[in-house]
Amino acid sequence: MLNALEVFTTVTVGLMVGVEFSVAFVINRILDALPDDSGQLGRAHGGRMLGAVMPVWYIGSLVLVAVWAVAGWGHRGAGLVVTAGGLLILSVIMSIALLVPINNRGKTWTPENRPADWKQQMNRWDRFHYVRVAVIVAAFALLVAALA
């Protein structure tokens, strides 16, 4: 049973990492290259859509890692799992403190009501997101190493 939990948790976190990596290095670059207001509208829509899904994914991943850490305590790789859990906690704190406030503003913007500094705010969100991606990639790598 522990083996199934390990695999399910690693796949769940890995998929989350893939989505967030794609947002950082593919989707946002595509949106930023679109003409006129299309990029801003796309970011607002993405903020609404992913803003509804990602909190469940982040918290769910953290819960799975916590269950793995408890169930696997004393087994090989337990320290790696605990460290990965700490990194996921950091990613949740970063999300709540840094990224969600910007996202909550951005998802309501239209070309008519967006602030003059909207691009600077999106660039700030991107910079925080790059750091968060690095944190969750490290957590994922630790989970993979714990499986070995």
Side-chain angles (χ1 to χ4, degrees), residues 13-115:
V13 173
L15 289 170
M16 180 179 72
V17 167
V19 168
E20 293 291 36
F21 186 90
S22 176
V23 167
F25 298 104
V26 179
I27 303 300
N28 284 348
R29 291 176 189 240
I30 291 169
L31 292 174
D32 290 344
L34 292 175
D36 303 321
D37 298 321
S38 300
Q40 185 265 308
L41 292 169
R43 278 183 176 258
H45 180 66
R48 287 187 299 273
M49 188 181 83
L50 291 173
V53 173
M54 295 315 287
V56 175
W57 210 338
Y58 272 81
I59 298 301
S61 294
L62 180 55
V63 168
L64 286 169
V65 169
V67 171
W68 178 358
V70 170
W73 193 252
H75 291 85
R76 62 170 171 67
L80 296 172
V81 175
V82 170
T83 305
L87 289 173
L88 290 178
I89 289 170
L90 176 61
S91 75
V92 169
I93 292 169
M94 288 177 62
S95 297
I96 292 168
L98 303 172
L99 289 119
V100 168
I102 298 170
N103 188 66
N104 284 344
R105 289 190 302 270
K107 68 185 184 182
T108 66
W109 294 339
T110 65
E112 293 77 32
N113 73 359
R114 66 186 179 212

